[in-house]
Structure formats: C-alpha cells, structure tokens
Amino acid sequence: MKFIHTADLHLGSPFEGLSAIPESYLERLHRGTNAAFLFLVKVALHEKVDFILIAGDFFDNHRPSVALQVMVYEQFEKLQRAGISVYLCLGNHDYLDLDKASVFFPENVYLFPNYPTTKSFLIKGEEIAITSFSYAQRWSKDIIQKFPKKSTAKWHLGMLHGALRETDLGSHYAPFSKEQLFEKKYDYWALGHIHKRTELSLAPPIIYPGSIQGKNRKETGPKGFYIVEEQGGKLIPHFHELKTVIWQTLDFVIEKNSNRAAFEKKIFEELTRLAADNSEAELILVTLRISFSNQDTVKLKKMVTSGFLIRRLRNLLHQVSNLYVEKVVVTLTAAPAVSLIDAGVLEKAKDAVFQKLSLAETADKLLDYPFIEKHLFQDGVKKEIETAAMLNLIEEADDHENITG
C-alpha cells in the first residue's frame, strides 16, 4: 500500500502581505497558486499511489470560483483514470454544511460527512479503514472522542483537521491531545491545520505535512507533502518537497568598516546562488533583514533605508526571472554609542515614545481606517518604526557633531 498525505493547499488563496510587484512576477505568482497541486497529481501518477488523503482546507474558502472547481475536477479525473482514489475532509476554511450544500466531484473522490465516519475498502485483498469528518462551520469543538477505536482492518488511518489542545486556547479547531490519538490505536494519523511541517510521533506516525506552499513571508522553510508506504509491516512516511513559490528571509550584518560595493556584492552573490539552487521554483520572494551593529556602519544606513539598495538589487537581478526582492527590513542589534546621545537615555526615550497611545496620537485620523490600525500595531511594524526613528536621531546627532565639532 502506498498513499499521499497532504493538507492545507488553500487553493484560490490570495498571497498575503505583498506590496506591489511587477506584472511579470505577478503572473508567476498566480501560476504558483495552483502549480503545487498540479505537481502533486503528477507525483501521484508517477508513484502509482493507491490513494490520496487531503486533511482539510483544500480550498481557501467554502465558495471557490467556477474556474478553480473545473481545474480541480479535471485533475481528479486524471487520478480516476489511473485508478487513484481521493479521500477528502473539509477544514475551518472550506467548511460546508453538507446537509444543505452539494459538492460535485468524480466518483473516485470521497468527501467525509460532518460527523466522524469510517470508510472501508480493499487494496490487494486487504482491508483499509479511514476515519474522518468535515467541518460544517468555521469552528469545531471536541470531536476526537467520537472517533472509534481501531477496527479489524489491517490498516486503520485517522484523518483530522485540528490543533493540539495546548495550542488551541479557544478550543475552536477540533482540539486533541497526543494521548487521545494514541488511545485510538490507529496505524497512521493524517493531520491538517498547522502550516508548519511537524512530526508529533513516528510510532505510530502522527504528522502535520504543513501547507503545500507558503501563503506569506512568515511561512518559510521546506513545503510539500508525505508519501507513505507499507514496508516491513509498518507505514513509513517520506517527505516530498515542492518548490513552487518560496518565501525566503536572508540575514545580513553590516560590519565595521564595511563599504557599499563589497556589501552590495555579498548580497547579490547570495541572491544569485539562491536562484540557481531553486531554479525549478516558479518564484522566490525574498525579504532582506539587514542589521547595523556598530556606529561606523550607520553611515551606510541611507543606502538601505532610502530604498536605494532594493532598487539597485532589483536592477542587477532583472535577468533572474524567478527571484524578486520584495522587502528590506532594517534592525539594530544594539543601540550604537554616540557622543551626543547616551545609549541609556536613548533607550528610555524609546520606551516612553513608542507606546500604543503615542503612536495612535501621531497617526491621528489614519486610524479611522481599520486596516491601517491593524497594520500599525503589529509587533514587527512597531519595531520597524522604532528602528527607523532611532537611526534618524543618531544620524542627526552625528551631523550636528560634524558641524559643531
């Protein structure tokens, strides 16, 4: 027996947190939205798997476009012609009350109802059982207790779109504990909901495959799905990495006595190496995180904060069609010691100024727009404002010292 375990494809999802990017890269980004699913189908056909488990959030919402539904139907038909079945449960994004809504898939696709159900079938004369359920609404309370214990089937698989109880503080997403899963005595738990690949156990396998590709710059790291195969009386999972749209953060520190040309060259070489190592990727979206660690390097900060560096890199990389430098973030690893500003005084001033109330007073009527208010008070944004303000203050102090000193 061989099967694929995937989850959280979020087909139809817009990519999050992107600033405006050129049309040519935008086209690649849109192609990448469905490319991961198309590649998964190709792998399933090549590997001649018996079936595919999709553990929730196959679609990004419960009203996918007609065009997307047609594309999915055609891919499922390809699998049907190859004799590959699909077992699908709905998650908290693509939830549906299946007593009130109809879903049309080819005959090889089995959609689990809104209550725990066991589907049994034969593969080469051996019985396989799969227990799962689909979300009827966005939240699902305790339901793991309604899953039956292992049946007499040779292999009993559980498929659950949910969260570990200790991480699901509101108990909204079919919360469970590892102990509850162990008690069922299943041979494999195909989990979904958490976008970071996580192996909670290997005996038996209890696995989150993670999202098939990142939705935003926070979802970095290898993305893909698992191919699970019966070997020596056990089910052995192997991670299969996909590279369609990659979000990558690169860290650089401007060291003492760094010069612009050498720093530019260092970043450019790292970016071209990244593109070459991931040549099969549809698009690599890069965030550069640049740290200043010494007073002498503050003189280079204009190159970074003015936007000159990102424009320069984009020009240098214009022939690298699958990589785009999307953002540059500046951080201070330590408050630089400057002659006119004591580091301790600077830190106290920062703590006094960058309070939520002070930021709100400064933003004034901009906060009438909810999306601005939500963005402004994110921890990362607040840190960026702090850093920019401190660097500007330090530069002004240096300029004043140069004039008066």
Side-chain angles (χ1 to χ4, degrees):
M1 180 180 70
K2 184 194 292 187
F3 65 89
I4 283 176
H5 166 205
T6 187
D8 299 288
L9 283 79
H10 288 276
L11 295 181
S13 169
F15 286 90
E16 301 169 350
L18 279 176
S19 53
I21 64 174
E23 187 68 26
S24 59
Y25 294 103
L26 194 59
E27 289 175 3
R28 283 179 166 269
L29 192 59
H30 288 160
R31 285 201 301 269
T33 304
N34 296 330
F37 173 56
L38 299 179
F39 191 82
L40 182 149
V41 171
K42 287 181 180 179
V43 172
L45 295 170
H46 176 75
E47 292 286 335
K48 298 180 179 178
V49 301
D50 296 298
F51 57 90
I52 299 173
L53 299 181
I54 303 177
D57 285 356
F58 180 56
F59 295 110
D60 190 58
N61 60 69
H62 59 283
R63 294 180 180 176
S65 70
V66 173
L68 182 57
Q69 292 182 62
V70 169
M71 184 276 291
V72 166
Y73 196 97
E74 290 174 347
Q75 294 304 308
F76 283 163
E77 280 188 319
K78 284 184 181 181
L79 295 170
Q80 183 178 30
R81 288 192 291 271
I84 298 173
S85 299
V86 177
Y87 298 93
L88 168 67
C89 70
L90 304 177
N92 59 294
H93 276 258
D94 52 4
Y95 62 91
L96 273 178
D97 185 339
L98 295 172
D99 288 332
K100 299 178 181 179
S102 298
V103 180
F104 299 99
F105 288 130
E107 291 181 359
N108 63 319
V109 180
Y110 179 80
L111 177 61
F112 281 90
N114 295 133
Y115 48 88
T117 302
T118 300
K119 176 70 173 176
S120 297
F121 52 93
L122 297 178
I123 292 180
K124 297 177 182 177
E126 295 179 333
E127 185 181 2
I128 314 298
I130 304 172
T131 301
S132 186
F133 83 102
S134 290
Y135 281 54
Q137 53 193 4
R138 185 170 296 279
W139 290 349
S140 178
K141 296 293 185 179
D142 267 328
I143 200 165
I144 187 61
Q145 58 193 355
K146 296 181 181 179
F147 276 56
K149 289 194 174 182
K150 178 178 168 64
S151 68
T152 57
K154 179 174 182 181
W155 301 110
H156 196 144
L157 317 178
M159 183 162 63
L160 177 64
H161 190 88
L164 276 169
R165 196 173 301 279
E166 56 263 35
T167 64
D168 186 8
L169 300 181
S171 296
H172 292 148
Y173 305 110
F176 64 89
S177 67
K178 285 200 294 183
E179 289 70 25
Q180 286 178 305
L181 302 191
F182 288 139
E183 287 173 1
K184 303 299 179 183
K185 305 294 183 183
Y186 289 4
D187 301 292
Y188 186 95
W189 277 99
L191 303 181
H193 182 60
I194 302 302
H195 288 195
K196 183 178 180 180
R197 178 167 63 101
T198 307
E199 296 176 350
L200 297 179
S201 168
L202 290 177
I206 302 175
I207 293 174
Y208 284 109
S211 55
I212 203 166
Q213 70 178 30
K215 289 181 65 178
N216 55 56
R217 67 175 65 93
K218 293 181 180 179
E219 295 189 359
T220 58
K223 298 295 180 182
F225 54 86
Y226 277 82
I227 298 176
V228 184
E229 191 167 7
E230 178 183 355
Q231 295 177 357
K234 295 181 180 180
L235 295 181
I236 308 299
H238 301 281
F239 182 67
H240 189 101
E241 185 175 1
L242 290 184
K243 295 182 179 180
T244 48
V245 175
I246 298 173
W247 300 81
Q248 185 74 47
T249 298
L250 299 178
D251 290 297
F252 295 92
V253 176
I254 300 182
E255 303 289 355
K256 184 176 181 180
N257 300 322
S258 294
N259 65 74
R260 194 187 82 180
F263 188 60
E264 254 183 34
K265 181 181 178 184
K266 180 180 180 181
I267 296 177
F268 178 75
E269 289 176 347
E270 182 67 15
L271 290 172
T272 52
R273 182 199 62 76
L274 178 65
D277 289 348
N278 298 280
S279 58
E280 69 273 36
E282 195 70 53
L283 184 61
I284 308 165
L285 291 159
V286 179
T287 295
L288 300 179
R289 195 160 49 198
I290 298 175
S291 299
F292 294 86
S293 60
N294 185 279
Q295 179 187 355
D296 294 340
T297 64
V298 175
K299 296 175 183 178
L300 291 174
K301 77 104 179 178
K302 274 188 178 178
M303 177 187 72
V304 178
T305 58
S306 67
F308 174 84
L309 177 65
I310 194 169
R311 292 193 300 272
R312 171 76 171 158
L313 289 170
R314 286 172 179 171
N315 287 335
L316 290 172
L317 293 161
H318 74 279
Q319 291 184 333
V320 182
S321 60
N322 72 330
L323 185 144
Y324 184 71
V325 181
E326 195 264 323
K327 187 175 183 181
V328 172
V329 177
V330 180
T331 62
L332 281 172
T333 55
V338 294
S339 56
L340 295 185
I341 305 178
D342 177 82
V345 173
L346 191 63
E347 194 66 26
K348 289 180 180 178
K350 183 197 75 173
D351 291 341
V353 171
F354 292 102
Q355 300 295 323
K356 186 172 183 178
L357 180 60
S358 299
L359 289 174
E361 289 175 350
T362 304
D364 195 23
K365 293 183 179 180
L366 288 174
L367 297 187
D368 291 343
Y369 299 92
F371 71 93
I372 293 180
E373 181 179 19
K374 180 180 178 182
H375 177 74
L376 180 63
F377 295 124
Q378 291 178 359
D379 290 340
V381 174
K382 180 171 174 285
K383 186 64 178 177
E384 286 183 37
I385 296 173
E386 287 179 10
T387 300
M390 291 174 71
L391 287 169
N392 281 325
L393 183 59
I394 292 165
E395 183 184 23
E396 287 181 16
D398 285 347
D399 290 344
H400 180 74
E401 187 176 62
N402 292 335
I403 294 170
T404 60

